[in-house]
Amino acid sequence: MLDESKNAVRTGKWTEKSAGGCHMFSKAYEQKVDKFTWTSNPRFHLKLLIDPNQQARVKITLQRPQKAWKKQIGMNLVGCMIGFYVYSANQEPTKEGILNREGTKFVPWNEISEELYLESQPDGYYIMPSTYEPGKQGPFILSISTDVDFQLNALE
């Protein structure tokens, strides 16, 4: 059995309002205001329950159910690629503020994982699952595994 205080699984869904695409659809890259859709992606708040100045290894895995995505992937493989961003919860998401920008990649597979070392922060972190292009709608699963206790909540 997995220790529930160190492992969590949450389901989510990109909808018409929350399928914002990657960071290329932000003020830094787009000219038209109606194309600034990146920050509308679903977000999850991660709070590590560790002492100040401590670090924790955090494995983040984003998955999507193959059956639910099969048709969309067949029509637009690149647009349906998945990835995620991690940034400090005390700031607005920007390309420069992405903590996993070195490892941020979008893949055409149904799963992507990355391990990060995160420090204790009073406000915690946001994890933002994303498809490469905006408007790609469907379910996803976010899994977190750490060597410390934590809290993970979906934001509305």
Side-chain angles (χ1 to χ4, degrees), residues 34 37-38 57-58 60 63 65 67 69 78 89 92 106 114 118 121-122 124 133 136-137 154:
D34 64 330
T37 57
W38 176 48
R57 180 192 59 79
V58 179
I60 303 169
Q63 300 171 297
K67 189 174 182 179
W69 282 87
V78 172
E92 287 298 313
F106 284 80
E114 184 176 354
L118 300 176
Q121 282 199 13
E133 290 180 359
K136 305 304 176 205
Q137 299 175 42

Side-chain angles (χ1 to χ4, degrees), residues 19-77:
C22 71
H23 68 277
M24 299 299 285
F25 297 91
S26 66
K27 292 179 190 176
Y29 299 99
E30 280 293 337
Q31 301 291 320
K32 297 179 183 174
V33 175
D34 64 330
K35 299 279 186 186
F36 300 166
T37 57
W38 176 48
T39 57
S40 66
N41 280 303
R43 288 185 288 173
F44 293 80
H45 183 250
L46 172 67
K47 175 93 172 170
L48 300 172
L49 304 176
I50 56 178
D51 293 328
N53 302 319
Q54 264 193 304
Q55 256 192 356
R57 180 192 59 79
V58 179
K59 182 179 181 184
I60 303 169
T61 302
L62 176 65
Q63 300 171 297
R64 63 176 172 208
Q66 182 175 354
K67 189 174 182 179
W69 282 87
K70 188 173 183 173
K71 185 176 180 182
Q72 281 189 88
I73 291 169
M75 293 172 49
N76 185 349
L77 178 66

Side-chain angles (χ1 to χ4, degrees), residues 6-18:
K6 294 178 174 54
N7 298 278
V9 177
R10 301 288 185 270
T11 59
K13 187 173 187 177
W14 288 290
T15 65
E16 185 178 340
K17 291 183 178 182
S18 69

Side-chain angles (χ1 to χ4, degrees), residues 40-143:
S40 66
N41 280 303
R43 288 185 288 173
F44 293 80
H45 183 250
L46 172 67
K47 175 93 172 170
L48 300 172
L49 304 176
I50 56 178
D51 293 328
N53 302 319
Q54 264 193 304
Q55 256 192 356
R57 180 192 59 79
V58 179
K59 182 179 181 184
I60 303 169
T61 302
L62 176 65
Q63 300 171 297
R64 63 176 172 208
Q66 182 175 354
K67 189 174 182 179
W69 282 87
K70 188 173 183 173
K71 185 176 180 182
Q72 281 189 88
I73 291 169
M75 293 172 49
N76 185 349
L77 178 66
V78 172
C80 289
M81 292 191 303
I82 60 171
F84 58 86
Y85 300 93
V86 179
Y87 58 95
S88 186
N90 63 6
Q91 67 183 49
E92 287 298 313
T94 62
K95 183 176 185 265
E96 295 75 30
I98 299 168
L99 298 174
N100 64 326
R101 70 177 163 261
E102 296 297 320
T104 299
K105 50 181 115 37
F106 284 80
V107 298
W109 311 302
N110 291 317
E111 181 177 310
I112 183 170
S113 290
E114 184 176 354
E115 277 192 16
L116 301 168
Y117 285 88
L118 300 176
E119 296 178 358
S120 172
Q121 282 199 13
D123 296 329
Y125 298 91
Y126 287 140
I127 302 169
M128 184 190 313
S130 176
T131 56
Y132 189 74
E133 290 180 359
K136 305 304 176 205
Q137 299 175 42
F140 63 83
I141 302 159
L142 182 69
S143 304

